[in-house]
């Protein structure tokens, strides 16, 4: 396995991580299940490609504007759907994602169903790492802010949150907007990584894949989203030696982990520096290195 191949897996993992973090905010921390995030990725990808290739804007600005465009589109969608409860919101987002795909299939300005080629290959490992790191840090700050705590309160008990004065609709709108911006930026990274866009790249399968990663990593856990994105993006590639059976093995592995650990890998917990130190201290004690060295750790 050469470095070029490993680099490709890391790039895809980083792109998926950005999209998964956004979906985790909406689904894991706010409690709103969405099966339409591939639609926001498509909007961000096509918009970023348009700003970069047709208007000649620099890659970073085109990427940011692509994310903001997806976020702006989420506002009227949220206005119409966020008052729906449970499964109805999920079905509405599913319909939105498929509608975006079908619309792009018929917009000849972007190549329609044939796709849009000739997008410059500006996405590389360095800028994916930078975008992923910024995305994680911003999400950590958001979750630990008043808005993040409001979103968690809405997930736990919306009626109780409303009773104590939390504007639940406004906080849901913020969650959906930020989530869509993340998906849009991820879509822009995809566009500039593949150099090609086609509507079927952003179908229901992609939305389902993102949702599986969020649940697999653990609902309400940023660390879980990071681990889930890395593991589930890399797993099909590591199983490539099994040829056609690799996706069957991938599905079986996901089912096994979800049965043995239904709360996901992290189960709502986070990996922190203090937690790593406690783990390291316990390992030293088990290795019999004595209380003195353990306490020094």
């Amino acid at each position: 396995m050469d470095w070029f191949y490993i680099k490709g897996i890391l790039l895809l993992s980083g792109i998926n991580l950005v999209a998964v973090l956004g979906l985790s905010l909406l689904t894991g921390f706010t409690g709103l299940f969405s099966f339409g995030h591939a639609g926001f990725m498509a909007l961000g990808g096509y918009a970023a490609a348009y700003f970069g290739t047709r208007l000649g804007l620099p890659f970073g600005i085109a990427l940011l504007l692509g994310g903001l465009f997806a976020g702006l589109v989420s506002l009227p969608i949220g206005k119409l759907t966020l008052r729906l409860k449970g499964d109805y919101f999920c079905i509405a987002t599913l319909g939105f994602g498929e509608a975006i795909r079908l619309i792009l299939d018929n917009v000849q300005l972007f190549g329609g169903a044939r796709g849009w080629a000739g997008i410059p290959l500006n996405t590389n490992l360095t800028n994916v790492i930078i975008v992923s790191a910024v995305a994680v840090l911003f999400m950590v700050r958001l979750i630990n802010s008043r808005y993040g705590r409001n979103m968690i309160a809405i997930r736990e008990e919306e009626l109780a949150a409303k009773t104590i004065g939390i504007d639940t609709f406004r906080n849901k709108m913020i969650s959906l907007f930020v989530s869509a911006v993340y998906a849009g930026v991820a879509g822009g990274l995809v566009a500039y990584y593949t150099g090609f866009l086609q509507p079927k790249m952003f179908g229901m399968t992609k939305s389902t894949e993102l949702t599986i990663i969020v649940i697999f990593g653990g609902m309400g856990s940023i660390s879980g989203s990071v681990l889930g994105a890395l593991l589930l993006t890399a797993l099909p590639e590591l199983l490539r030696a099994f040829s056609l059976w690799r996706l069957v093995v991938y599905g079986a592995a996901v089912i096994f982990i979800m049965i043995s650990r239904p709360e996901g890998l992290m189960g709502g917990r986070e990996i922190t520096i203090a937690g790593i130190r406690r783990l390291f201290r316990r390992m030293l004690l088990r290795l019999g290195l004595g209380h003195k060295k353990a306490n020094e750790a």
Side-chain angles (χ1 to χ4, degrees):
M1 190 178 290
D2 59 11
W3 168 240
F4 182 78
Y5 189 64
I6 295 172
K7 193 168 71 171
I9 295 174
L10 292 174
L11 270 162
L12 291 175
S13 300
I15 294 170
N16 276 341
L17 170 59
V18 176
V20 165
L21 280 172
L23 184 58
S24 181
L25 177 68
L26 189 67
T27 300
F29 289 98
T30 316
L32 296 167
F33 270 89
S34 167
F35 275 96
H37 257 53
F40 291 120
M41 282 188 75
L43 289 172
Y46 275 85
Y50 180 81
F51 290 129
T53 59
R54 302 287 169 84
L55 302 184
L57 296 178
F59 168 66
I61 296 175
L63 201 64
L64 184 60
L65 290 177
L68 289 175
F69 178 75
L72 288 174
V73 173
S74 77
L75 296 178
I77 301 298
K79 188 85 174 173
L80 292 172
T81 60
L82 281 176
R83 296 193 190 280
L84 299 174
K85 303 292 183 187
D87 297 342
Y88 296 103
F89 176 77
C90 184
I91 293 169
T93 57
L94 178 63
F96 162 75
E98 286 300 290
I100 293 297
R101 184 180 64 79
L102 291 172
I103 290 170
L104 290 172
D105 261 343
N106 293 285
V107 178
Q108 297 307 316
L109 176 67
F110 302 132
R114 296 189 308 277
W116 182 3
I119 302 168
L121 304 176
N122 291 330
T123 298
N124 55 44
L125 188 56
T126 303
N127 53 43
V128 166
I129 289 174
I130 292 171
V131 172
S132 301
V134 171
V136 170
L137 289 174
F138 180 81
M139 190 60 66
V140 169
R141 292 296 300 270
L142 178 62
I143 293 303
N144 290 314
S145 71
R146 179 167 58 89
Y147 294 107
R149 291 192 291 273
N150 288 346
M151 290 168 193
I152 294 171
I154 292 169
R155 179 194 67 189
E156 295 300 320
E157 181 52 63
E158 184 174 347
L159 183 60
K162 195 179 290 185
T163 304
I164 61 174
I166 294 174
D167 187 340
T168 56
F169 183 76
R170 181 166 176 265
N171 281 281
K172 286 180 181 178
M173 285 288 284
I174 294 171
S175 177
L176 180 62
F177 175 79
V178 175
S179 181
V181 170
Y182 270 63
V185 170
L189 288 171
V190 169
Y192 285 93
Y193 174 59
T194 60
F196 177 76
L197 285 175
Q198 198 172 27
K200 69 178 183 182
M201 293 164 62
F202 304 102
M204 195 173 69
T205 305
K206 186 64 183 176
S207 296
T208 307
E209 178 190 340
L210 297 176
T211 305
I212 287 174
I213 293 175
V214 171
I215 297 172
F216 178 88
M219 303 276 279
S221 169
I222 297 172
S223 308
S225 298
V226 175
L227 289 176
L230 292 174
L231 290 175
L232 290 191
T233 306
L235 189 58
E237 300 302 326
L238 297 176
L239 294 171
R240 197 167 281 278
F242 292 91
S243 187
L244 296 176
W245 288 98
R246 69 191 176 97
L247 293 180
V248 177
V249 176
Y250 170 83
V254 171
I255 291 170
F256 172 75
I257 291 175
M258 295 314 300
I259 290 175
S260 60
R261 194 170 173 78
E263 70 275 23
L265 284 179
M266 295 302 297
R269 293 185 295 275
E270 300 288 0
I271 298 173
T272 61
I273 295 175
I276 293 172
R277 290 185 65 183
R278 282 197 297 273
L279 178 64
F280 187 57
R281 190 177 299 140
R282 282 200 295 269
M283 288 174 63
L284 286 177
L285 287 172
R286 285 182 184 176
L287 290 171
L289 296 181
H291 292 284
K292 184 178 179 181
K293 287 186 179 179
N295 290 330
E296 287 174 359

